[in-house]
């Protein structure tokens, strides 16, 4: 059965549309030909590191905050997080700024929540250790990151949090590419055999039982572009989606 995709932006929440428009206007989200870690040639690229201006940081933290509120509301079994965790390096400003925005939106709920992030290299002097911010021991941890492609960083973060005595209760990313993981032949020869496979986010949900969410997906991007983008970009995105769409 063919996948069903949103034809317009009418069904997309306003915060998602505003986020994508900010990404496009600031060239955080660009179009062309980009080689991913998987070796695939992608027609688009998202760089969360470009959210360095105050207006853009405000846009992404607002979008993360609304996504988190919606995510927790739709998954009542997920315990309220004690910690927002930002994996080094791009996740660090995302966790900090998003926690501020959550507190602004709902101070009663979020006043007791802290943030943490990891060091790439464990510090052996001063306070020492590999974690900066609140301790993860005995805490429910919600992880914020930019884009997940292979899921390697997610697995490393789950292990890191567990080692520190915490528990990851969810992942929230900015963009879910909703594309299938590379198969063995694609990893070795760069050739996709066309077989259905799950996305990295889907595999994390199945493997660890951890729920995931994203501010936007590739489907959202295509829907927004239909009202404002270049037809050539839209066609390339749709072709990429058809070729690599995940089975989950």
């Amino acid at each position: 059965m063919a996948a069903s995709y949103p034809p317009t932006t009418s069904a997309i929440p306003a915060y998602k549309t505003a986020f994508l428009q900010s990404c496009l206007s600031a060239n955080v989200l660009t179009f062309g030909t980009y080689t991913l870690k998987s070796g695939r040639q992608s027609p688009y690229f998202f760089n969360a590191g470009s959210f360095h201006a105050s207006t853009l940081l405000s846009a992404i933290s607002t979008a993360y905050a609304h996504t988190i509120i919606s995510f927790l509301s739709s998954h009542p079994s997920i315990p309220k997080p004690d910690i927002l965790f930002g994996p080094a390096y791009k996740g660090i400003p995302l966790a900090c700024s998003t926690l501020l925005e959550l507190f602004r939106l709902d101070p009663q709920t979020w006043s007791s929540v802290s943030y943490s992030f990891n060091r790439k290299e464990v510090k052996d002097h001063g306070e020492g250790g590999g974690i900066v911010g609140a301790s993860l021991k005995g805490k429910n941890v919600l992880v914020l990151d930019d884009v997940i492609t292979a899921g390697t960083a997610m697995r490393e973060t789950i292990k890191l949090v567990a080692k520190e005595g915490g528990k990851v209760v969810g992942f929230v990313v900015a963009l879910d590419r909703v594309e299938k993981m590379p198969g063995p032949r694609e990893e070795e020869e760069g050739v996709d055999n066309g077989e259905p496979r799950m996305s990295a986010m889907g595999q994390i949900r199945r493997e660890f039982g951890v729920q995931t969410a994203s501010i936007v997906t590739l489907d959202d991007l295509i829907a927004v572009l239909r009202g404002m983008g270049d037809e050539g970009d839209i066609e390339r995105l749709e072709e990429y989606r058809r070729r690599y769409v995940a089975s989950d």
Side-chain angles (χ1 to χ4, degrees):
M1 181 182 294
S4 176
Y5 303 118
T8 68
T9 61
S10 60
I12 301 176
Y15 72 86
K16 292 191 176 193
T17 302
F19 171 70
L20 281 172
Q21 289 173 342
S22 295
C23 292
L24 292 167
S25 63
N27 290 323
V28 173
L29 186 58
T30 55
F31 305 99
T33 302
Y34 305 93
T35 302
L36 305 180
K37 287 182 180 179
S38 63
R40 290 175 183 167
Q41 298 294 302
S42 172
Y44 71 106
F45 186 72
F46 177 83
N47 182 13
S50 296
F51 279 95
H52 46 70
S54 57
T55 53
L56 294 174
L57 189 59
S58 175
I60 195 170
S61 61
T62 297
Y64 266 112
H66 283 286
T67 301
I68 289 169
I69 291 170
S70 176
F71 175 53
L72 295 177
S73 175
S74 62
H75 294 82
S77 62
I78 297 177
K80 176 189 169 184
D82 304 303
I83 305 281
L84 294 192
F85 185 82
Y89 289 105
K90 289 183 180 179
I92 296 173
L94 301 179
C96 298
S97 61
T98 298
L99 183 56
L100 282 173
E101 180 62 16
L102 285 166
F103 177 74
R104 187 189 70 80
L105 292 171
D106 186 357
Q108 184 173 354
T109 299
W110 294 95
S111 61
S112 61
V113 179
S114 300
Y115 75 83
S116 292
F117 58 89
N118 63 302
R119 293 187 174 98
K120 287 286 190 179
E121 297 180 0
V122 176
K123 188 176 180 182
D124 60 2
H125 60 280
E127 77 278 17
I131 299 296
V132 179
S135 168
L136 305 181
K137 187 175 182 179
K139 300 299 177 64
N140 293 317
V141 179
L142 183 64
V143 181
L144 275 63
D145 214 339
D146 56 350
V147 180
I148 302 300
T149 302
T152 304
M154 277 184 163
R155 289 178 173 84
E156 291 175 349
T157 298
I158 289 173
K159 292 177 182 177
L160 184 153
V161 171
K163 182 180 178 181
E164 294 291 331
K167 178 183 179 182
V168 173
V169 297
F171 278 94
V172 180
V173 300
L175 174 66
D176 182 358
R177 297 178 65 93
V178 291
E179 64 185 74
K180 62 184 178 180
M181 293 284 290
R185 189 180 176 193
E186 188 174 0
E187 292 177 339
E188 295 173 3
E189 305 174 26
V191 178
D192 177 49
N193 59 12
E195 293 181 352
R197 288 185 295 278
M198 297 183 74
S199 67
M201 299 267 277
Q203 287 195 341
I204 291 296
R205 288 191 293 269
R206 184 177 67 176
E207 185 176 344
F208 296 98
V210 176
Q211 294 296 323
T212 65
S214 63
I215 299 175
V216 292
T217 67
L218 176 57
D219 298 341
D220 296 326
L221 172 58
I222 291 173
V224 168
L225 284 177
R226 285 197 179 108
M228 58 183 291
D230 177 88
E231 287 299 324
D233 289 333
I234 295 171
E235 289 177 6
R236 286 186 287 273
L237 289 172
E238 289 181 328
E239 171 57 30
Y240 187 84
R241 178 172 63 181
R242 284 191 293 269
R243 183 175 183 182
Y244 293 116
V245 65
S247 59
D248 54 305

